[in-house]
Amino acid sequence: MAGFVIASPKSGSGKTMVVCGLLEAARRRGLSPCAFKCGPDYIDGLFHRQVLGVDGGNLDSFFEGEEALRAKMQRVKQEHFVIAEGAMGYFDGLGGTTARASAWEIAHILGMPAVLVVDAQGASLSLMALIRGFLAFEKELGDCRIRAVIFNRMSPGMYPRMKKMTEERLGIRAAGYVPPLDFLAVGSRHLGLILPGEIPGIKEQMERLADCLEETLDWDVLLETAKEQPDPAPTSVPQRCMSRRFRLGVAWDEAFCFYYRDNLELLEKLGAELVYFSPLHDRELPQGIGGLLLGGGYPEKYAEELGANRDMARCVRQAAEAGMPVLAECGGYLYLLDELEGEDGAVYPMAGVFSGRGWRKGKNSHFGYISLTSPCATPYLIPGEEIRGHEFHYWECRGGEDALCMKAAKPVGERDWPAIRIQKQVMAGFPHLYYPSCPAFAERFAGACRRYWERSGKHDII
């Protein structure tokens, strides 16, 4: 297996743009790149897939055990050059005080080398102190994975001097630099980067970025670094599969696009044929479906358009009332409420499956990893089971709090809060769930979808 983790001291250091440029340049070189994101983030993966056409997924050591992570890597190692983008800072993990579930832990578990992207704007010799600190701290953790450094936003004139100091003083290789680039127009909002579909000319920007990195990165160093790793230890993870098929509607458009690829692949193994549709643009649900996924995204940005599409809202509400299984997360949950406050401050009607109004709280309500449990039997999660997930949202729901029937708990510390609403076969709330952390949850949902699909009598659709 060849590849590496791209990490940085902190968010905003330029990891995502460096990774996008590397992926495009690697594809040009015939390396068949595969992109992963360390941690629970969705948006960076959209850049990898939608802009560059490079498949990938998430590597998350809170969601998955070590064997599952190694098995995932084994499935791609023979045919792909792996580039895994870290989250936040290299060592930042659970609770902000541990390296658990950090980019460093992913590199450690998989035996992958790490390349540290350092933002060089406004600094010179001080960068040596920064890098030395990371190398020393990593040594304290007992496994040193950092093999090379890339300097971001560094002038061509400065780089030769910094390369010499890095290699002579620190004993680590410099793998090139990224100069200041005025053509990149990738902004951010509260959940991270702006979605790629919102950026005019994003494909051309990525191509120009790759043109630049072809010239300013030391590809010999990068390719040598990528090979400095053993194959993951042989492992096997049981694969569950059901042969009986059903059709599953998946909301995917500008407003709803946050899905873990592993979730979708697990449902496909359980018999789902994924049928994508748009709550924004379509007027009715796909024909012959047995269930619905309403993922997260930015419905507040498109609240007026969603509110105006009364045909789709009515179809979703009627399907829920008829007992169709539905999983709705964060933005998808907001869409199922009576009303939603848009980014413009106006309030618009939504699908009306649950009572309440989505409103802008103005600050992050809950942030980070959670474990979700239920004290009572629910359609897809039973007492004694735990499914893991993540919350990150700036909108809240006013109304319906008394109907919350599960508990979300932080993995570090003692914080917990009520979460999740259920009505008939609809399960909705703010947590983004990682289905492989509780395969029985996905199996029950798939089974419910299949039974609903079989009762509908539209088997000829497949």
Side-chain angles (χ1 to χ4, degrees):
M1 179 181 66
F4 39 66
V5 173
I6 294 292
S8 68
K10 63 182 180 65
S11 295
S13 298
K15 291 190 302 292
T16 299
M17 292 303 98
V18 169
V19 167
C20 286
L22 284 169
L23 289 169
E24 176 61 21
R27 185 170 63 174
R28 295 176 183 179
R29 290 168 173 260
L31 295 175
S32 185
C34 181
F36 285 98
K37 175 69 179 183
C38 299
D41 182 82
Y42 296 100
I43 298 176
D44 293 343
L46 292 175
F47 277 83
H48 305 158
R49 290 192 299 272
Q50 293 185 11
V51 179
L52 302 169
V54 175
D55 280 335
N58 293 76
L59 297 171
D60 194 305
S61 52
F62 174 73
F63 287 164
E64 305 177 86
E66 294 187 11
E67 286 195 1
L69 285 169
R70 294 191 184 106
K72 181 184 290 186
M73 195 57 61
Q74 279 186 307
R75 291 194 291 271
V76 301
K77 72 184 181 71
Q78 297 300 329
E79 298 181 1
H80 296 284
F81 185 92
V82 177
I83 300 177
E85 179 183 347
M88 300 176 64
Y90 183 45
F91 302 113
D92 297 333
L94 295 183
T97 57
T98 75
R100 186 186 168 202
S102 65
W104 173 84
E105 186 175 68
I106 295 296
H108 166 73
I109 291 170
L110 297 177
M112 295 181 73
V115 177
L116 192 68
V117 175
V118 177
D119 187 355
Q121 187 177 52
S124 55
L125 183 60
S126 296
L127 298 174
M128 297 299 102
L130 174 66
I131 298 167
R132 186 186 295 277
F134 269 74
L135 296 174
F137 191 81
E138 189 176 42
K139 188 174 182 180
E140 289 181 17
L141 294 178
D143 189 8
C144 300
R145 309 308 313 169
I146 299 175
R147 298 287 190 270
V149 177
I150 292 174
F151 294 100
N152 188 33
R153 299 200 293 179
M154 176 171 278
S155 70
M158 176 66 73
Y159 176 68
R161 288 173 280 171
M162 298 306 296
K163 172 181 172 65
K164 187 174 187 294
M165 283 195 292
T166 300
E167 296 182 345
E168 291 182 355
R169 293 192 178 193
L170 305 181
I172 189 170
R173 303 183 78 177
Y177 69 100
V178 183
L181 300 172
D182 56 9
F183 62 81
L184 285 177
V186 180
S188 63
R189 61 162 64 92
H190 53 266
L191 296 186
L193 294 175
I194 289 176
L195 297 181
E198 302 175 60
I199 304 170
I202 182 62
K203 178 65 175 175
E204 292 73 17
Q205 290 183 45
M206 295 298 103
E207 290 175 351
R208 291 181 65 186
L209 174 60
D211 291 340
C212 174
L213 298 193
E214 290 271 22
E215 301 296 326
T216 64
L217 296 186
D218 190 328
W219 283 88
D220 289 338
V221 170
L222 289 173
L223 293 176
E224 289 173 17
T225 298
K227 294 176 182 176
E228 294 177 7
Q229 56 190 300
D231 284 345
T235 184
S236 61
V237 175
Q239 300 294 318
R240 307 187 182 201
C241 181
M242 297 182 183
S243 58
R244 292 160 57 203
R245 305 283 292 167
F246 63 94
R247 286 165 61 88
L248 179 64
V250 181
W252 194 299
D253 55 23
E254 302 94 315
F256 307 98
C257 54
F258 293 172
Y259 295 94
Y260 291 123
R261 181 180 177 185
D262 292 344
N263 286 358
L264 299 179
E265 289 184 349
L266 176 57
L267 291 172
E268 287 181 313
K269 290 175 183 176
L270 295 171
E273 176 194 330
L274 305 183
V275 184
Y276 295 94
F277 73 99
S278 170
L280 266 176
H281 306 298
D282 295 335
R283 293 295 171 181
E284 60 183 23
L285 293 171
Q287 293 295 308
I289 59 174
L292 281 177
L293 291 184
L294 296 169
Y298 293 119
E300 66 274 11
K301 180 176 173 61
Y302 301 95
E304 182 176 5
E305 295 93 326
L306 289 168
N309 191 351
R310 301 315 302 155
D311 291 338
M312 176 58 75
R314 181 171 56 254
C315 287
V316 171
R317 183 174 62 255
Q318 290 174 348
E321 291 172 349
M324 179 180 285
V326 180
L327 292 177
E329 299 180 345
C330 205
Y333 169 48
L334 292 174
Y335 178 64
L336 294 184
L337 298 175
D338 288 327
E339 298 175 318
L340 175 62
E341 177 186 346
E343 280 190 336
D344 59 3
V347 176
Y348 300 96
M350 292 290 118
V353 174
F354 292 103
S355 62
R357 171 185 293 180
W359 61 287
R360 185 205 307 257
K361 188 172 183 180
K363 62 178 181 179
N364 194 357
S365 294
H366 295 121
F367 170 72
Y369 291 111
I370 61 160
S371 295
L372 192 69
T373 56
S374 176
C376 58
T378 70
Y380 315 122
L381 194 70
I382 64 175
E385 289 180 336
E386 173 189 283
I387 188 168
R388 295 187 170 187
H390 186 267
E391 280 199 35
F392 196 127
H393 53 97
Y394 284 73
W395 259 248
E396 270 289 356
C397 173
R398 182 176 286 121
E401 291 87 348
D402 56 339
L404 297 172
C405 60
M406 296 187 186
K407 182 177 75 173
K410 298 288 288 182
V412 176
E414 300 181 354
R415 286 187 59 212
D416 62 64
W417 56 88
I420 304 297
R421 296 171 73 175
I422 293 175
Q423 183 170 297
K424 294 188 177 180
Q425 297 270 56
V426 182
M427 176 174 162
F430 286 108
H432 295 277
L433 303 178
Y434 186 74
Y435 304 166
S437 68
C438 183
F441 172 91
E443 290 174 3
R444 293 190 193 97
F445 177 69
C449 293
R450 185 178 297 103
R451 290 189 294 273
Y452 183 91
W453 176 73
E454 290 172 344
R455 289 197 304 269
S456 72
K458 296 183 179 180
H459 307 160
D460 58 331
I461 298 294
I462 292 184

